Amino acid sequence: MVAGVSVLAKCRVCGRRAVYWVPWANTWFCKEHFVEYFKRRVIRTYEKYFPKNHERILVAVSGGKDSVALLHSLTPHLLDKGLKVSALFIDLGIKNYSQKAYRIVYENTHKLGIPLIVTRLADHGFTIDYVAYLVVKRIIRRPVCSICGLVKRYLMNKTAVEKGFDLILTGHTLNDALAFATQNIYSGNIYDLVKLKPYIPGRDGLVARGKPLLFVYEAETKWFVEAVEAPVLDVKCPHTPRTESIIIHVKKSLEELDEKHPGYMSMAMKNIVDKLIPLLEEKLPKPRLVKCRICGMPSSTDPCGFCRLKIRISKYRLGRISS
Ligand code: SF4
Ligand code: ZN
Ligand code: ZN
């Protein structure tokens, strides 16, 4: 993937000196027209895949470049349409990370003038740092990031339900989404594959969700936040896995392929979303959802994964389980 200042190249739109080379669009852009191109693509995904009945939208923002790019590219469009937009920051209680992330999210929402809702995992009696400690002690036998994903999905939905939002937006980009889709195809994990679409309608207490950056390359979100001078988090979560998982290898292979054949990843994602997933959805029964007897949130199990995690943590604290 290439980006840089060219002495000779000219912006395709205005003819001024170009700054960004976008290989999959085979085009040079100046800063202003790259920003316009990026916003247009995000808005196009929203307008094409999202129904028009949503009114109160919650944008989950972690402070990373992808969610910050989502906030800056789509929020003005949603506000222009008269929709209510708020940002959600989930404080996971990660030392030397969560507080910095909060400040970044605050600065961005302040700049855009949109309300910020903060949900603290510590208010539920534990933090991701504590989960990491329990993983090391083998009290919890799942990777920290897997638990973190469960916690984020749960708190996003719970906050949206409690505050009356009817759509949650997240900043998942093409590179990660296609790597997951590819891995799910190879491993036959069809139920997770069908979730990789720009819009999933709400049902039975699950609020509708969307990924408006699903066709946007990770590199583009980096250039976009630079171009609009949006502050982004410059530290890594201390729990980022040190070893590379299969999914990271798949992602790197796809990126190498895209470097040789620009646009390959975006074409593959479009075909998966527009052709493969609709066919699979016709055949698959909808996974059954039940109401968690403890917290009342929808879940495939009863109690839900979040409540089961809380139970395990409190049993450990009471000395009922040991490593
Ligand atoms: Fe959570 Fe893992 Fe991301 Fe850290 S690296 S924020 S633990 S998912
Ligand atoms: Zn231009
Ligand atoms: Zn529950």
Side-chain angles (χ1 to χ4, degrees):
M1 295 177 191
V2 194
V5 179
S6 161
V7 185
L8 297 171
K10 293 198 170 20
C11 169
R12 187 185 72 186
V13 184
C14 66
R16 280 182 295 175
R17 190 171 64 107
V19 183
Y20 296 102
W21 163 243
V22 183
W24 35 89
N26 194 21
T27 300
W28 284 98
F29 288 115
C30 69
K31 198 193 257 193
E32 181 193 332
H33 289 114
F34 173 73
V35 168
E36 201 175 79
Y37 154 86
F38 184 94
K39 285 185 176 175
R40 200 170 50 239
R41 290 186 55 217
V42 179
I43 292 169
R44 196 191 298 149
T45 300
Y46 181 83
E47 292 298 336
K48 179 174 174 188
Y49 292 98
F50 289 64
K52 305 294 167 273
N53 58 345
H54 293 298
E55 288 173 358
R56 300 199 67 219
I57 301 177
L58 190 60
V59 186
V61 192
S62 66
K65 63 178 177 20
D66 299 338
S67 56
V68 168
L70 170 64
L71 196 66
H72 282 267
S73 57
L74 192 58
T75 305
H77 176 73
L78 299 176
L79 294 173
D80 282 352
K81 286 166 75 89
L83 306 176
K84 299 256 181 303
V85 182
S86 294
L88 169 67
F89 174 72
I90 299 175
D91 181 344
L92 297 162
I94 301 173
K95 206 167 163 225
N96 297 326
Y97 181 75
S98 292
Q99 274 313 303
K100 286 181 188 150
Y102 166 73
R103 275 196 295 275
I104 294 288
V105 175
Y106 174 79
E107 279 176 43
N108 280 291
T109 51
H110 186 70
K111 207 171 163 181
L112 287 164
I114 59 166
L116 170 61
I117 296 167
V118 179
T119 299
R120 287 183 180 80
L121 181 57
D123 293 343
H124 296 266
F126 66 101
T127 62
I128 289 298
D129 279 347
Y130 190 61
V131 167
Y133 162 77
L134 295 182
V135 169
V136 171
K137 291 195 72 112
R138 300 183 66 78
I139 300 297
I140 292 175
R141 289 168 189 268
R142 268 170 73 176
V144 184
C145 294
S146 157
I147 298 288
C148 186
L150 177 152
V151 160
K152 286 189 278 200
R153 285 190 298 277
Y154 178 86
L155 292 178
M156 264 190 267
N157 196 67
K158 186 171 164 63
T159 311
V161 169
E162 287 174 356
K163 308 259 181 206
F165 289 91
D166 54 35
L167 174 63
I168 302 167
L169 301 180
T170 57
H172 293 88
T173 52
L174 172 62
N175 303 45
D176 282 331
L178 186 65
F180 272 106
T182 308
Q183 178 61 9
N184 286 330
I185 292 170
Y186 292 166
S187 59
N189 195 354
I190 304 301
Y191 278 102
D192 281 347
L193 176 64
V194 296
K195 288 187 207 151
L196 285 166
K197 50 184 191 171
Y199 175 79
I200 301 176
R203 67 177 176 115
D204 306 329
L206 266 188
V207 175
R209 285 191 191 188
K211 306 177 190 72
L213 302 187
L214 198 66
F215 303 113
V216 165
Y217 285 79
E218 238 174 63
E220 290 174 310
T221 65
K222 183 168 166 277
W223 304 336
F224 178 78
V225 293
E226 271 168 24
V228 298
E229 295 174 18
V232 290
L233 196 55
D234 58 2
V235 289
K236 257 188 166 184
C237 169
H239 305 302
T240 304
R242 289 201 186 95
T243 50
E244 289 197 347
S245 58
I246 291 181
I247 199 92
I248 298 292
H249 288 293
V250 172
K251 182 175 165 183
K252 284 187 176 167
S253 312
L254 288 165
E255 287 169 351
E256 273 172 28
L257 195 58
D258 202 280
E259 261 182 49
K260 294 190 184 105
H261 304 279
Y264 181 86
M265 287 170 68
S266 130
M267 175 215 60
M269 196 74 228
K270 283 207 173 77
N271 284 332
I272 289 172
V273 166
D274 292 339
K275 296 178 183 166
L276 185 59
I277 292 180
L279 275 181
L280 292 170
E281 278 183 321
E282 272 178 28
K283 304 267 176 222
L284 287 177
K286 279 215 162 61
R288 194 180 63 101
L289 283 179
V290 291
K291 212 173 182 184
C292 170
R293 79 185 79 145
I294 299 172
C295 68
M297 285 291 120
S299 169
S300 53
T301 60
D302 183 20
C304 72
F306 188 82
C307 289
R308 278 187 289 135
L309 177 65
K310 276 174 76 174
I311 292 168
R312 187 148 184 90
I313 291 173
S314 60
K315 274 188 183 163
Y316 171 72
R317 283 177 173 151
L318 293 169
R320 293 206 199 126
I321 39 175
S322 55
S323 45

